[in-house]
Amino acid sequence: MNVKKNKFGQNSAGIECSKESLGAPPCHNQSANAPDPKAQERAKCHCCRGKNEGGKHAQQPCCCADAQKSETNGEKMFCEGFILAIAAISIALSFFLTASDATLPYYPLTDPSWIAVLLCAVPIFRSAARALFAGGRLTSSALVSVAMLGAFALEAAELYGWSAHSEHGHSYIFAAAEIAFLMRLGSWIENRTAKKSRRDIEKLADMIPPVAYLKCGEEEREIPAKDIKAGDVLCVRPASVFPCDAEVIRGESTVDESAITGESLPAEKAAGSAVYAGTSNISGYLEVRALKRTEESEMAKMAKLVDEASGKSAPISRTADKWASMVIPAAIVCSFIVFIASKSLLGVDYMEAAIRGVTVLVVFCPCAFVLATPTAVAAALGNAAKRGILFKSGEALEKLSKCSRVFFDKTGTLTTAKIAVEKFLNLGQFGDKEILSLAGCAEKRSDHPVAKAIYAYAKSRVEVPEPDSTNSRAGVGIEATFGKNKVSLQRPNAEESAAGAIQLTSGGYTAVEVKINGKSAAFFGLSDTLRDSSKEAVESIKSEGISCAVISGDNLPAAEKIARSCGIEEVFAPVLPPDKLRIISEFQSRGENICMVGDGVNDAPALAGAYSSIAMASLKNGIAIEAAQISIAGDDIRAVPYGIRLSRHALKTIRANIAFSIFFNLGALALAFFGVINPVAGALVHNLSSICVVLNSARILKYK
């Protein structure tokens, strides 16, 4: 976007923008009418796509790295599909030629299957050699390579007349080609599934726009979002996305935060409201002040954490990898055993025994076993991210599935952290309207949360006048005069108002006493507001066989009141942050797996020390992201039971994948030993098991 100019076609300031001259943040030391180097660089983007004339910008640094990378990925996908198509055609042609008894000169050297071998087998050999000689590791590619070399050896035996093609149908070159093709096809399906599972994760990073509009006086300048600095004033138009975490300083609008919080209803924003990077401005023009750089936003942090999580294995994955590394040498040993046993016990000839040994190598490859865990974890992370549940690692996913007890913080977790008047106790000295009018009058000018709650309660019932004067007494309350009346709101005096205070505090309310002209007139009972979804969430967790408890720094009656409302019987209160950690540690020392659910700084020690931990509304509490293993972007507590059920479903899927791959391979091994399947059929069986595992894991993406 170009800089806005005045009616004379010139920059209205004509000088460098500064806070002193224009009342806005500096434009990063650029004059308002100076050419934007970034804009010039963007103008050269055609060089990335080969659209410039004569290639004059060919050596220029280019701003289209992302577009270039996207195009490269698209080209790779196209090439992979093209290679698979050519390989499939060559294998099909080989099959039909053999089935029709047609002959080619110099067969099998002219077998069309060689095309598939060159296209699909060569990368497998290269991968196996690189892993073995560079990393000293035996991989599934190594086992498949040995199996294909066995097929080539069998074909060589055919050429020397040690066996006859008529006994076995297709050539062994066809078998090697089929093995290589199905391996590459299985890898392609795996990559497609992984890409689909990461699509929702990648959306986190893609939500942040690449550019922002910096305000300099009455002008706007387009700048890269990565150049935003804390304190910059930005312009955000309707139907655009916030590029960083910021505070609204001008304008009113509704903001769609559903992509990161899961809340379907738009949030109303005005001066003083916080907005987050990646959320969408719906209706009004806003001016906002950046609170931090784009890469420091909570959304950027979460995107980074989730990206790291996809590369961190769950403990069960590490176990599977260890077993897989043992399976490969075991398969080679088993192949020799089958060769010897089939010759000595079953009485087959050497060639048939060799065929069965090679078949064992084909079907014993642990591809399905290795894929069992990472594909399921990737799918679970994608499913969770789509709903604003962000796991830091596969280990966090596995731990959540094993939790036996959930500790909930009260304020801000089970409750909204918004105080409201729930009880009004009139002592009979004055009328309700008079008390509410004077109490609201006293609290009208105060910004204290308790004062706001009382004022809102009074205003909803009576007309509240302006006070003649007010006097706030820190830690005690407030006094005000209106006409001849003097009213005060304060903490109840234990000696003077024991009965009324006890009645409210014992019920779990915070009591505020109202005095009019020195006489005790009434009590307000205030309480934190329970979230609408808290009771449903707790019931859902308990239905999974998990115990629930409240652990809070609030007073015991208040904590018990919220706990009863949610159906929780066990309460620990009042508890300081270090004591929360101590209590959780005591339960864990007894062998329980504790999951701590909290929302703020005071929960950080407990979140860090618990076996599993979940940070609620983590966008509003940056420290919670660092302390907890799992972050929930929104404030819907029903995400907690969903995360538990999803993690348990993922672990069940992993175990099912592993069991399936083991029994499938054992069954195929038995069939190979008795000669029921040959290397060609073995390749089909082996890749079928891998595809089944990948598709079973992909079902997690649709889990609800």
Side-chain angles (χ1 to χ4, degrees), residues 204-227:
L204 292 175
D206 294 340
M207 284 177 186
I208 301 176
V211 298
Y213 297 97
L214 180 69
K215 184 172 184 180
C216 294
E218 297 302 319
E219 302 169 353
E220 298 176 15
R221 180 184 298 281
E222 180 184 301
I223 64 170
K226 63 183 178 63
D227 290 346

mmCIF file with all atom_site columns, all heavy atoms in Angstrom, residues 204-227:
data_model
loop_
_atom_site.group_PDB
_atom_site.id
_atom_site.type_symbol
_atom_site.label_atom_id
_atom_site.label_alt_id
_atom_site.label_comp_id
_atom_site.label_asym_id
_atom_site.label_entity_id
_atom_site.label_seq_id
_atom_site.pdbx_PDB_ins_code
_atom_site.Cartn_x
_atom_site.Cartn_y
_atom_site.Cartn_z
_atom_site.occupancy
_atom_site.B_iso_or_equiv
_atom_site.pdbx_formal_charge
_atom_site.auth_seq_id
_atom_site.auth_comp_id
_atom_site.auth_asym_id
_atom_site.auth_atom_id
_atom_site.pdbx_PDB_model_num
ATOM 1   N N   . LEU A 1 204 ? -1.632 -22.205 12.442 1.00 0.00 ? 204 LEU A N   1
ATOM 2   C CA  . LEU A 1 204 ? -1.281 -21.318 13.547 1.00 0.00 ? 204 LEU A CA  1
ATOM 3   C C   . LEU A 1 204 ? -0.287 -20.261 13.083 1.00 0.00 ? 204 LEU A C   1
ATOM 4   O O   . LEU A 1 204 ? -0.430 -19.078 13.377 1.00 0.00 ? 204 LEU A O   1
ATOM 5   C CB  . LEU A 1 204 ? -0.683 -22.132 14.702 1.00 0.00 ? 204 LEU A CB  1
ATOM 6   C CG  . LEU A 1 204 ? -1.636 -23.074 15.430 1.00 0.00 ? 204 LEU A CG  1
ATOM 7   C CD1 . LEU A 1 204 ? -0.860 -23.898 16.448 1.00 0.00 ? 204 LEU A CD1 1
ATOM 8   C CD2 . LEU A 1 204 ? -2.741 -22.304 16.112 1.00 0.00 ? 204 LEU A CD2 1
ATOM 9   N N   . ALA A 1 205 ? 0.747  -20.708 12.371 1.00 0.00 ? 205 ALA A N   1
ATOM 10  C CA  . ALA A 1 205 ? 1.750  -19.759 11.880 1.00 0.00 ? 205 ALA A CA  1
ATOM 11  C C   . ALA A 1 205 ? 1.199  -18.925 10.733 1.00 0.00 ? 205 ALA A C   1
ATOM 12  O O   . ALA A 1 205 ? 1.516  -17.739 10.614 1.00 0.00 ? 205 ALA A O   1
ATOM 13  C CB  . ALA A 1 205 ? 2.999  -20.505 11.440 1.00 0.00 ? 205 ALA A CB  1
ATOM 14  N N   . ASP A 1 206 ? 0.350  -19.538 9.891  1.00 0.00 ? 206 ASP A N   1
ATOM 15  C CA  . ASP A 1 206 ? -0.180 -18.835 8.728  1.00 0.00 ? 206 ASP A CA  1
ATOM 16  C C   . ASP A 1 206 ? -1.213 -17.770 9.098  1.00 0.00 ? 206 ASP A C   1
ATOM 17  O O   . ASP A 1 206 ? -1.563 -16.931 8.281  1.00 0.00 ? 206 ASP A O   1
ATOM 18  C CB  . ASP A 1 206 ? -0.812 -19.826 7.742  1.00 0.00 ? 206 ASP A CB  1
ATOM 19  C CG  . ASP A 1 206 ? 0.225  -20.761 7.143  1.00 0.00 ? 206 ASP A CG  1
ATOM 20  O OD1 . ASP A 1 206 ? 1.413  -20.406 7.188  1.00 0.00 ? 206 ASP A OD1 1
ATOM 21  O OD2 . ASP A 1 206 ? -0.155 -21.835 6.660  1.00 0.00 ? 206 ASP A OD2 1
ATOM 22  N N   . MET A 1 207 ? -1.733 -17.829 10.341 1.00 0.00 ? 207 MET A N   1
ATOM 23  C CA  . MET A 1 207 ? -2.739 -16.853 10.752 1.00 0.00 ? 207 MET A CA  1
ATOM 24  C C   . MET A 1 207 ? -2.172 -15.438 10.806 1.00 0.00 ? 207 MET A C   1
ATOM 25  O O   . MET A 1 207 ? -2.889 -14.465 10.617 1.00 0.00 ? 207 MET A O   1
ATOM 26  C CB  . MET A 1 207 ? -3.279 -17.209 12.147 1.00 0.00 ? 207 MET A CB  1
ATOM 27  C CG  . MET A 1 207 ? -4.243 -18.369 12.172 1.00 0.00 ? 207 MET A CG  1
ATOM 28  S SD  . MET A 1 207 ? -4.715 -18.696 13.874 1.00 0.00 ? 207 MET A SD  1
ATOM 29  C CE  . MET A 1 207 ? -5.681 -20.194 13.639 1.00 0.00 ? 207 MET A CE  1
ATOM 30  N N   . ILE A 1 208 ? -0.894 -15.308 11.114 1.00 0.00 ? 208 ILE A N   1
ATOM 31  C CA  . ILE A 1 208 ? -0.299 -13.986 11.268 1.00 0.00 ? 208 ILE A CA  1
ATOM 32  C C   . ILE A 1 208 ? 0.008  -13.415 9.889  1.00 0.00 ? 208 ILE A C   1
ATOM 33  O O   . ILE A 1 208 ? 0.730  -14.035 9.105  1.00 0.00 ? 208 ILE A O   1
ATOM 34  C CB  . ILE A 1 208 ? 0.981  -14.070 12.117 1.00 0.00 ? 208 ILE A CB  1
ATOM 35  C CG1 . ILE A 1 208 ? 0.633  -14.652 13.492 1.00 0.00 ? 208 ILE A CG1 1
ATOM 36  C CG2 . ILE A 1 208 ? 1.631  -12.702 12.250 1.00 0.00 ? 208 ILE A CG2 1
ATOM 37  C CD1 . ILE A 1 208 ? 1.821  -14.867 14.386 1.00 0.00 ? 208 ILE A CD1 1
ATOM 38  N N   . PRO A 1 209 ? -0.523 -12.230 9.553  1.00 0.00 ? 209 PRO A N   1
ATOM 39  C CA  . PRO A 1 209 ? -0.321 -11.671 8.211  1.00 0.00 ? 209 PRO A CA  1
ATOM 40  C C   . PRO A 1 209 ? 1.136  -11.258 7.994  1.00 0.00 ? 209 PRO A C   1
ATOM 41  O O   . PRO A 1 209 ? 1.847  -10.934 8.951  1.00 0.00 ? 209 PRO A O   1
ATOM 42  C CB  . PRO A 1 209 ? -1.248 -10.456 8.195  1.00 0.00 ? 209 PRO A CB  1
ATOM 43  C CG  . PRO A 1 209 ? -1.370 -10.062 9.631  1.00 0.00 ? 209 PRO A CG  1
ATOM 44  C CD  . PRO A 1 209 ? -1.323 -11.342 10.407 1.00 0.00 ? 209 PRO A CD  1
ATOM 45  N N   . PRO A 1 210 ? 1.577  -11.238 6.745  1.00 0.00 ? 210 PRO A N   1
ATOM 46  C CA  . PRO A 1 210 ? 2.984  -10.881 6.469  1.00 0.00 ? 210 PRO A CA  1
ATOM 47  C C   . PRO A 1 210 ? 3.265  -9.391  6.588  1.00 0.00 ? 210 PRO A C   1
ATOM 48  O O   . PRO A 1 210 ? 4.406  -8.992  6.757  1.00 0.00 ? 210 PRO A O   1
ATOM 49  C CB  . PRO A 1 210 ? 3.192  -11.368 5.040  1.00 0.00 ? 210 PRO A CB  1
ATOM 50  C CG  . PRO A 1 210 ? 1.826  -11.335 4.430  1.00 0.00 ? 210 PRO A CG  1
ATOM 51  C CD  . PRO A 1 210 ? 0.868  -11.664 5.534  1.00 0.00 ? 210 PRO A CD  1
ATOM 52  N N   . VAL A 1 211 ? 2.225  -8.545  6.470  1.00 0.00 ? 211 VAL A N   1
ATOM 53  C CA  . VAL A 1 211 ? 2.442  -7.095  6.515  1.00 0.00 ? 211 VAL A CA  1
ATOM 54  C C   . VAL A 1 211 ? 1.522  -6.458  7.547  1.00 0.00 ? 211 VAL A C   1
ATOM 55  O O   . VAL A 1 211 ? 0.511  -7.040  7.949  1.00 0.00 ? 211 VAL A O   1
ATOM 56  C CB  . VAL A 1 211 ? 2.204  -6.442  5.132  1.00 0.00 ? 211 VAL A CB  1
ATOM 57  C CG1 . VAL A 1 211 ? 3.183  -6.979  4.110  1.00 0.00 ? 211 VAL A CG1 1
ATOM 58  C CG2 . VAL A 1 211 ? 0.769  -6.650  4.670  1.00 0.00 ? 211 VAL A CG2 1
ATOM 59  N N   . ALA A 1 212 ? 1.890  -5.253  7.969  1.00 0.00 ? 212 ALA A N   1
ATOM 60  C CA  . ALA A 1 212 ? 1.069  -4.468  8.900  1.00 0.00 ? 212 ALA A CA  1
ATOM 61  C C   . ALA A 1 212 ? 1.076  -3.027  8.413  1.00 0.00 ? 212 ALA A C   1
ATOM 62  O O   . ALA A 1 212 ? 1.885  -2.644  7.553  1.00 0.00 ? 212 ALA A O   1
ATOM 63  C CB  . ALA A 1 212 ? 1.630  -4.578  10.315 1.00 0.00 ? 212 ALA A CB  1
ATOM 64  N N   . TYR A 1 213 ? 0.182  -2.204  8.974  1.00 0.00 ? 213 TYR A N   1
ATOM 65  C CA  . TYR A 1 213 ? 0.082  -0.809  8.566  1.00 0.00 ? 213 TYR A CA  1
ATOM 66  C C   . TYR A 1 213 ? 0.379  0.080   9.766  1.00 0.00 ? 213 TYR A C   1
ATOM 67  O O   . TYR A 1 213 ? -0.401 0.161   10.707 1.00 0.00 ? 213 TYR A O   1
ATOM 68  C CB  . TYR A 1 213 ? -1.302 -0.524  7.975  1.00 0.00 ? 213 TYR A CB  1
ATOM 69  C CG  . TYR A 1 213 ? -1.544 -1.338  6.732  1.00 0.00 ? 213 TYR A CG  1
ATOM 70  C CD1 . TYR A 1 213 ? -2.243 -2.537  6.786  1.00 0.00 ? 213 TYR A CD1 1
ATOM 71  C CD2 . TYR A 1 213 ? -1.011 -0.931  5.513  1.00 0.00 ? 213 TYR A CD2 1
ATOM 72  C CE1 . TYR A 1 213 ? -2.429 -3.303  5.647  1.00 0.00 ? 213 TYR A CE1 1
ATOM 73  C CE2 . TYR A 1 213 ? -1.194 -1.696  4.368  1.00 0.00 ? 213 TYR A CE2 1
ATOM 74  C CZ  . TYR A 1 213 ? -1.898 -2.873  4.439  1.00 0.00 ? 213 TYR A CZ  1
ATOM 75  O OH  . TYR A 1 213 ? -2.060 -3.639  3.319  1.00 0.00 ? 213 TYR A OH  1
ATOM 76  N N   . LEU A 1 214 ? 1.554  0.694   9.715  1.00 0.00 ? 214 LEU A N   1
ATOM 77  C CA  . LEU A 1 214 ? 2.046  1.533   10.803 1.00 0.00 ? 214 LEU A CA  1
ATOM 78  C C   . LEU A 1 214 ? 1.488  2.940   10.645 1.00 0.00 ? 214 LEU A C   1
ATOM 79  O O   . LEU A 1 214 ? 1.512  3.512   9.559  1.00 0.00 ? 214 LEU A O   1
ATOM 80  C CB  . LEU A 1 214 ? 3.575  1.555   10.765 1.00 0.00 ? 214 LEU A CB  1
ATOM 81  C CG  . LEU A 1 214 ? 4.278  2.374   11.835 1.00 0.00 ? 214 LEU A CG  1
ATOM 82  C CD1 . LEU A 1 214 ? 4.107  1.720   13.198 1.00 0.00 ? 214 LEU A CD1 1
ATOM 83  C CD2 . LEU A 1 214 ? 5.768  2.506   11.495 1.00 0.00 ? 214 LEU A CD2 1
ATOM 84  N N   . LYS A 1 215 ? 1.006  3.506   11.749 1.00 0.00 ? 215 LYS A N   1
ATOM 85  C CA  . LYS A 1 215 ? 0.443  4.855   11.689 1.00 0.00 ? 215 LYS A CA  1
ATOM 86  C C   . LYS A 1 215 ? 1.491  5.885   12.066 1.00 0.00 ? 215 LYS A C   1
ATOM 87  O O   . LYS A 1 215 ? 2.163  5.773   13.081 1.00 0.00 ? 215 LYS A O   1
ATOM 88  C CB  . LYS A 1 215 ? -0.756 4.985   12.627 1.00 0.00 ? 215 LYS A CB  1
ATOM 89  C CG  . LYS A 1 215 ? -1.417 6.357   12.521 1.00 0.00 ? 215 LYS A CG  1
ATOM 90  C CD  . LYS A 1 215 ? -2.712 6.442   13.287 1.00 0.00 ? 215 LYS A CD  1
ATOM 91  C CE  . LYS A 1 215 ? -3.352 7.807   13.056 1.00 0.00 ? 215 LYS A CE  1
ATOM 92  N NZ  . LYS A 1 215 ? -4.622 7.960   13.776 1.00 0.00 ? 215 LYS A NZ  1
ATOM 93  N N   . CYS A 1 216 ? 1.633  6.894   11.203 1.00 0.00 ? 216 CYS A N   1
ATOM 94  C CA  . CYS A 1 216 ? 2.515  8.032   11.458 1.00 0.00 ? 216 CYS A CA  1
ATOM 95  C C   . CYS A 1 216 ? 1.682  9.295   11.311 1.00 0.00 ? 216 CYS A C   1
ATOM 96  O O   . CYS A 1 216 ? 1.417  9.745   10.196 1.00 0.00 ? 216 CYS A O   1
ATOM 97  C CB  . CYS A 1 216 ? 3.674  8.058   10.474 1.00 0.00 ? 216 CYS A CB  1
ATOM 98  S SG  . CYS A 1 216 ? 4.807  6.680   10.653 1.00 0.00 ? 216 CYS A SG  1
ATOM 99  N N   . GLY A 1 217 ? 1.242  9.848   12.414 1.00 0.00 ? 217 GLY A N   1
ATOM 100 C CA  . GLY A 1 217 ? 0.349  10.999  12.344 1.00 0.00 ? 217 GLY A CA  1
ATOM 101 C C   . GLY A 1 217 ? -0.970 10.595  11.728 1.00 0.00 ? 217 GLY A C   1
ATOM 102 O O   . GLY A 1 217 ? -1.657 9.719   12.230 1.00 0.00 ? 217 GLY A O   1
ATOM 103 N N   . GLU A 1 218 ? -1.312 11.211  10.597 1.00 0.00 ? 218 GLU A N   1
ATOM 104 C CA  . GLU A 1 218 ? -2.551 10.868  9.894  1.00 0.00 ? 218 GLU A CA  1
ATOM 105 C C   . GLU A 1 218 ? -2.281 9.925   8.736  1.00 0.00 ? 218 GLU A C   1
ATOM 106 O O   . GLU A 1 218 ? -3.164 9.679   7.912  1.00 0.00 ? 218 GLU A O   1
ATOM 107 C CB  . GLU A 1 218 ? -3.220 12.153  9.368  1.00 0.00 ? 218 GLU A CB  1
ATOM 108 C CG  . GLU A 1 218 ? -3.648 13.117  10.470 1.00 0.00 ? 218 GLU A CG  1
ATOM 109 C CD  . GLU A 1 218 ? -4.617 12.463  11.438 1.00 0.00 ? 218 GLU A CD  1
ATOM 110 O OE1 . GLU A 1 218 ? -5.509 11.717  10.984 1.00 0.00 ? 218 GLU A OE1 1
ATOM 111 O OE2 . GLU A 1 218 ? -4.471 12.693  12.651 1.00 0.00 ? 218 GLU A OE2 1
ATOM 112 N N   . GLU A 1 219 ? -1.083 9.395   8.631  1.00 0.00 ? 219 GLU A N   1
ATOM 113 C CA  . GLU A 1 219 ? -0.715 8.557   7.503  1.00 0.00 ? 219 GLU A CA  1
ATOM 114 C C   . GLU A 1 219 ? -0.508 7.113   7.935  1.00 0.00 ? 219 GLU A C   1
ATOM 115 O O   . GLU A 1 219 ? -0.384 6.810   9.118  1.00 0.00 ? 219 GLU A O   1
ATOM 116 C CB  . GLU A 1 219 ? 0.580  9.091   6.857  1.00 0.00 ? 219 GLU A CB  1
ATOM 117 C CG  . GLU A 1 219 ? 0.445  10.533  6.395  1.00 0.00 ? 219 GLU A CG  1
ATOM 118 C CD  . GLU A 1 219 ? 1.785  11.127  6.021  1.00 0.00 ? 219 GLU A CD  1
ATOM 119 O OE1 . GLU A 1 219 ? 2.805  10.441  6.251  1.00 0.00 ? 219 GLU A OE1 1
ATOM 120 O OE2 . GLU A 1 219 ? 1.805  12.248  5.509  1.00 0.00 ? 219 GLU A OE2 1
ATOM 121 N N   . GLU A 1 220 ? -0.500 6.247   6.933  1.00 0.00 ? 220 GLU A N   1
ATOM 122 C CA  . GLU A 1 220 ? -0.248 4.833   7.177  1.00 0.00 ? 220 GLU A CA  1
ATOM 123 C C   . GLU A 1 220 ? 0.881  4.370   6.265  1.00 0.00 ? 220 GLU A C   1
ATOM 124 O O   . GLU A 1 220 ? 0.981  4.812   5.129  1.00 0.00 ? 220 GLU A O   1
ATOM 125 C CB  . GLU A 1 220 ? -1.500 3.999   6.883  1.00 0.00 ? 220 GLU A CB  1
ATOM 126 C CG  . GLU A 1 220 ? -2.686 4.340   7.762  1.00 0.00 ? 220 GLU A CG  1
ATOM 127 C CD  . GLU A 1 220 ? -3.926 3.561   7.362  1.00 0.00 ? 220 GLU A CD  1
ATOM 128 O OE1 . GLU A 1 220 ? -3.785 2.579   6.604  1.00 0.00 ? 220 GLU A OE1 1
ATOM 129 O OE2 . GLU A 1 220 ? -5.025 3.940   7.780  1.00 0.00 ? 220 GLU A OE2 1
ATOM 130 N N   . ARG A 1 221 ? 1.725  3.488   6.793  1.00 0.00 ? 221 ARG A N   1
ATOM 131 C CA  . ARG A 1 221 ? 2.808  2.933   5.991  1.00 0.00 ? 221 ARG A CA  1
ATOM 132 C C   . ARG A 1 221 ? 2.785  1.416   6.121  1.00 0.00 ? 221 ARG A C   1
ATOM 133 O O   . ARG A 1 221 ? 2.698  0.876   7.217  1.00 0.00 ? 221 ARG A O   1
ATOM 134 C CB  . ARG A 1 221 ? 4.163  3.464   6.444  1.00 0.00 ? 221 ARG A CB  1
ATOM 135 C CG  . ARG A 1 221 ? 5.318  2.904   5.618  1.00 0.00 ? 221 ARG A CG  1
ATOM 136 C CD  . ARG A 1 221 ? 6.660  3.376   6.148  1.00 0.00 ? 221 ARG A CD  1
ATOM 137 N NE  . ARG A 1 221 ? 6.776  4.816   6.079  1.00 0.00 ? 221 ARG A NE  1
ATOM 138 C CZ  . ARG A 1 221 ? 7.067  5.489   4.973  1.00 0.00 ? 221 ARG A CZ  1
ATOM 139 N NH1 . ARG A 1 221 ? 7.254  4.825   3.833  1.00 0.00 ? 221 ARG A NH1 1
ATOM 140 N NH2 . ARG A 1 221 ? 7.159  6.791   4.980  1.00 0.00 ? 221 ARG A NH2 1
ATOM 141 N N   . GLU A 1 222 ? 2.856  0.754   4.985  1.00 0.00 ? 222 GLU A N   1
ATOM 142 C CA  . GLU A 1 222 ? 2.921  -0.703  4.998  1.00 0.00 ? 222 GLU A CA  1
ATOM 143 C C   . GLU A 1 222 ? 4.331  -1.143  5.365  1.00 0.00 ? 222 GLU A C   1
ATOM 144 O O   . GLU A 1 222 ? 5.313  -0.687  4.773  1.00 0.00 ? 222 GLU A O   1
ATOM 145 C CB  . GLU A 1 222 ? 2.550  -1.260  3.623  1.00 0.00 ? 222 GLU A CB  1
ATOM 146 C CG  . GLU A 1 222 ? 2.605  -2.779  3.560  1.00 0.00 ? 222 GLU A CG  1
ATOM 147 C CD  . GLU A 1 222 ? 2.324  -3.301  2.166  1.00 0.00 ? 222 GLU A CD  1
ATOM 148 O OE1 . GLU A 1 222 ? 1.224  -3.026  1.629  1.00 0.00 ? 222 GLU A OE1 1
ATOM 149 O OE2 . GLU A 1 222 ? 3.206  -3.971  1.605  1.00 0.00 ? 222 GLU A OE2 1
ATOM 150 N N   . ILE A 1 223 ? 4.421  -2.017  6.356  1.00 0.00 ? 223 ILE A N   1
ATOM 151 C CA  . ILE A 1 223 ? 5.720  -2.555  6.772  1.00 0.00 ? 223 ILE A CA  1
ATOM 152 C C   . ILE A 1 223 ? 5.587  -4.063  6.942  1.00 0.00 ? 223 ILE A C   1
ATOM 153 O O   . ILE A 1 223 ? 4.485  -4.577  7.174  1.00 0.00 ? 223 ILE A O   1
ATOM 154 C CB  . ILE A 1 223 ? 6.209  -1.929  8.095  1.00 0.00 ? 223 ILE A CB  1
ATOM 155 C CG1 . ILE A 1 223 ? 5.246  -2.287  9.243  1.00 0.00 ? 223 ILE A CG1 1
ATOM 156 C CG2 . ILE A 1 223 ? 6.401  -0.435  7.967  1.00 0.00 ? 223 ILE A CG2 1
ATOM 157 C CD1 . ILE A 1 223 ? 5.763  -1.917  10.617 1.00 0.00 ? 223 ILE A CD1 1
ATOM 158 N N   . PRO A 1 224 ? 6.687  -4.809  6.844  1.00 0.00 ? 224 PRO A N   1
ATOM 159 C CA  . PRO A 1 224 ? 6.627  -6.244  7.141  1.00 0.00 ? 224 PRO A CA  1
ATOM 160 C C   . PRO A 1 224 ? 6.246  -6.452  8.611  1.00 0.00 ? 224 PRO A C   1
ATOM 161 O O   . PRO A 1 224 ? 6.725  -5.725  9.494  1.00 0.00 ? 224 PRO A O   1
ATOM 162 C CB  . PRO A 1 224 ? 8.055  -6.727  6.865  1.00 0.00 ? 224 PRO A CB  1
ATOM 163 C CG  . PRO A 1 224 ? 8.643  -5.687  5.956  1.00 0.00 ? 224 PRO A CG  1
ATOM 164 C CD  . PRO A 1 224 ? 8.015  -4.403  6.354  1.00 0.00 ? 224 PRO A CD  1
ATOM 165 N N   . ALA A 1 225 ? 5.413  -7.419  8.864  1.00 0.00 ? 225 ALA A N   1
ATOM 166 C CA  . ALA A 1 225 ? 4.966  -7.673  10.238 1.00 0.00 ? 225 ALA A CA  1
ATOM 167 C C   . ALA A 1 225 ? 6.137  -7.978  11.163 1.00 0.00 ? 225 ALA A C   1
ATOM 168 O O   . ALA A 1 225 ? 6.099  -7.657  12.346 1.00 0.00 ? 225 ALA A O   1
ATOM 169 C CB  . ALA A 1 225 ? 3.961  -8.823  10.255 1.00 0.00 ? 225 ALA A CB  1
ATOM 170 N N   . LYS A 1 226 ? 7.192  -8.581  10.620 1.00 0.00 ? 226 LYS A N   1
ATOM 171 C CA  . LYS A 1 226 ? 8.344  -8.938  11.458 1.00 0.00 ? 226 LYS A CA  1
ATOM 172 C C   . LYS A 1 226 ? 9.101  -7.708  11.944 1.00 0.00 ? 226 LYS A C   1
ATOM 173 O O   . LYS A 1 226 ? 9.919  -7.800  12.862 1.00 0.00 ? 226 LYS A O   1
ATOM 174 C CB  . LYS A 1 226 ? 9.282  -9.864  10.689 1.00 0.00 ? 226 LYS A CB  1
ATOM 175 C CG  . LYS A 1 226 ? 9.907  -9.254  9.446  1.00 0.00 ? 226 LYS A CG  1
ATOM 176 C CD  . LYS A 1 226 ? 10.761 -10.265 8.706  1.00 0.00 ? 226 LYS A CD  1
ATOM 177 C CE  . LYS A 1 226 ? 11.361 -9.668  7.430  1.00 0.00 ? 226 LYS A CE  1
ATOM 178 N NZ  . LYS A 1 226 ? 12.275 -8.560  7.689  1.00 0.00 ? 226 LYS A NZ  1
ATOM 179 N N   . ASP A 1 227 ? 8.824  -6.528  11.352 1.00 0.00 ? 227 ASP A N   1
ATOM 180 C CA  . ASP A 1 227 ? 9.511  -5.304  11.767 1.00 0.00 ? 227 ASP A CA  1
ATOM 181 C C   . ASP A 1 227 ? 8.752  -4.533  12.838 1.00 0.00 ? 227 ASP A C   1
ATOM 182 O O   . ASP A 1 227 ? 9.187  -3.457  13.262 1.00 0.00 ? 227 ASP A O   1
ATOM 183 C CB  . ASP A 1 227 ? 9.735  -4.391  10.557 1.00 0.00 ? 227 ASP A CB  1
ATOM 184 C CG  . ASP A 1 227 ? 10.768 -4.957  9.594  1.00 0.00 ? 227 ASP A CG  1
ATOM 185 O OD1 . ASP A 1 227 ? 11.477 -5.898  9.992  1.00 0.00 ? 227 ASP A OD1 1
ATOM 186 O OD2 . ASP A 1 227 ? 10.861 -4.465  8.453  1.00 0.00 ? 227 ASP A OD2 1
#
